[in-house]
Amino acid sequence: AGHRYLAGTDVVVVVASDGAQWMAEGSWTAAAGDPVSPPAELPFADVARDAWYYGDVSYVYENGLFNGVTGSTFSPGGNMQRCMMTTVLHRLAGEPAVGYSAVFQDIPDGQWYTAGTIWAGQLGVVTGVGGGRFDPFSNVTRQEIAVILHRYAAGMGLNVSGRADLSRFPDAGSVASWGGDAIAWAVDAGIISGSNGSLLPGGDATRAEVAAMLRRFTDWSARGAQ
């Protein structure tokens, strides 16, 4: 209250208060749909409002992409499993109907992750780990997420031709040959921005990181991927 802010570029301001009052000085443009409602209060005791991922978790929760691991915990630092990733992507796609088929030997019918994983397999978004297996409960890595989102975007007909120069990252040489194009695209699209200056392509992705990547992906796709 009573503070003044100077912005040198375009900004979005969200105030978590029912009684906020505005006095704008200088250049001010209201976006369509104003006023913008603040994120809903999350039910998760382990997601602090000042955490860097609060807005991302709010986005995936409010849009039905993520559930908590319990009714009151999100586990933002917990690792994202491969079957969680396919389930979330299936929800992002609007949960299209899918009939069961034995795309992967280790994905039985009737499990919470079955529909999303079979859908992703049938679409070619995921191809498994070899030997007819998907390995659903292994952790998904950052470069695997880039590949999955790249394939999904291409399947949607979006422009995925952008490529960033990865040489500025000290660990660019650790990107797998099968993940290079997808990582370069994800960096160019702003979906992956690095962690402390590094790509960490083979590192396990946390649930908070995946929430951020999905929010950035939807922002990118909404812009028409131009």
Side-chain angles (χ1 to χ4, degrees):
H3 288 203
R4 300 175 68 184
Y5 299 91
L6 174 65
T9 185
D10 292 342
V11 296
V12 174
V13 179
V14 176
V15 178
S17 170
D18 292 333
Q21 296 183 4
W22 301 88
M23 183 180 70
E25 299 178 77
S27 177
W28 183 271
T29 302
D34 278 343
V36 178
S37 298
E41 190 69 32
L42 293 174
F44 308 122
D46 56 350
V47 179
R49 183 172 283 278
D50 60 354
W52 67 263
Y53 48 77
Y54 186 90
D56 302 312
V57 173
S58 293
Y59 175 82
V60 296
Y61 177 71
E62 291 171 14
N63 286 277
L65 302 180
F66 272 61
N67 297 317
V69 295
T70 71
S72 60
T73 56
F74 184 81
S75 187
N79 290 327
M80 189 79 171
Q81 296 174 331
R82 288 166 57 82
C83 58
M84 290 178 182
M85 187 66 205
T86 52
T87 299
V88 166
L89 193 62
H90 186 226
R91 292 171 182 163
L92 180 65
E95 296 185 289
V98 55
Y100 179 78
S101 62
V103 178
F104 303 111
Q105 297 175 6
D106 54 353
I107 303 297
D109 195 9
Q111 303 300 308
W112 61 264
Y113 53 85
T114 298
T117 305
I118 297 302
W119 164 82
Q122 291 176 345
L123 202 63
V125 173
V126 296
T127 57
V129 297
R133 298 174 56 252
F134 181 70
D135 199 12
F137 299 110
S138 286
N139 298 331
V140 66
T141 66
R142 291 163 60 86
Q143 65 186 348
E144 286 174 341
I145 293 173
V147 169
I148 289 170
L149 292 177
H150 183 256
R151 289 173 179 164
Y152 177 63
M156 291 172 62
L158 297 174
N159 178 7
V160 293
S161 61
R163 296 290 185 275
D165 181 3
L166 301 182
S167 63
R168 71 178 187 270
F169 298 100
D171 58 347
S174 63
V175 176
S177 59
W178 50 264
D181 275 353
I183 285 278
W185 161 79
V187 172
D188 179 75
I191 296 166
I192 291 178
S193 57
S195 177
N196 294 321
S198 297
L199 286 169
L200 306 178
D204 295 336
T206 67
R207 287 168 54 84
E209 289 173 339
V210 177
M213 291 179 198
L214 285 176
R215 187 182 186 185
R216 295 168 189 163
F217 175 81
T218 54
D219 288 345
W220 170 83
S221 60
R223 294 193 301 268
Q226 297 300 317

